[in-house]
């Protein structure tokens, strides 16, 4: 991909990192950093969750302070 290739710098950077670091597990973090994780994963048919569930015992001992993440209800 040369300098005259259409697209934004961000698009070119993500493509270059995808190709160069294909088997080094960096892509997910790049997609998160650029705010594209959900779009890319949904386009491939996946429904990733961006946060972990809060353990029920932690919610129980917090006396109503903590609530479960909406993605895990």
């Amino acid at each position: 991909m040369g300098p005259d290739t259409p697209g934004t710098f961000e698009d070119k950077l993500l493509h270059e990192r995808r190709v160069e670091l294909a088997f080094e597990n960096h892509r997910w973090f790049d997609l998160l950093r650029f705010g594209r994780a959900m779009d890319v994963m949904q386009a491939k048919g996946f429904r990733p969750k961006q946060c972990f569930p809060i353990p029920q015992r932690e919610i129980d001992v917090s006396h109503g302070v903590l609530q479960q993440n909406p993605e895990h209800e």
Side-chain angles (χ1 to χ4, degrees):
M1 202 183 276
D4 296 330
T5 306
T8 65
F9 173 76
E10 187 176 293
D11 293 335
K12 293 177 184 180
L13 178 67
L14 285 172
H15 175 73
E16 182 68 22
R17 286 185 57 88
R18 179 180 182 185
V19 171
E20 291 291 327
L21 305 172
F23 298 103
E24 297 181 21
N25 297 321
H26 290 278
R27 185 154 193 244
W28 176 250
F29 299 105
D30 286 343
L31 293 174
L32 285 175
R33 185 177 303 118
F34 285 96
R36 295 188 178 183
M38 296 304 283
D39 295 336
V40 170
M41 298 306 285
Q42 287 174 351
K44 299 201 179 280
F46 296 107
R47 291 184 40 107
K49 296 185 185 263
Q50 291 187 315
C51 58
F52 291 107
I54 299 171
Q56 187 60 47
R57 71 182 150 86
E58 298 297 328
I59 294 172
D60 293 342
V61 299
S62 75
H63 302 293
V65 175
L66 292 177
Q67 296 179 356
Q68 187 58 267
N69 292 319
E71 291 182 347
H72 296 283
E73 289 182 338

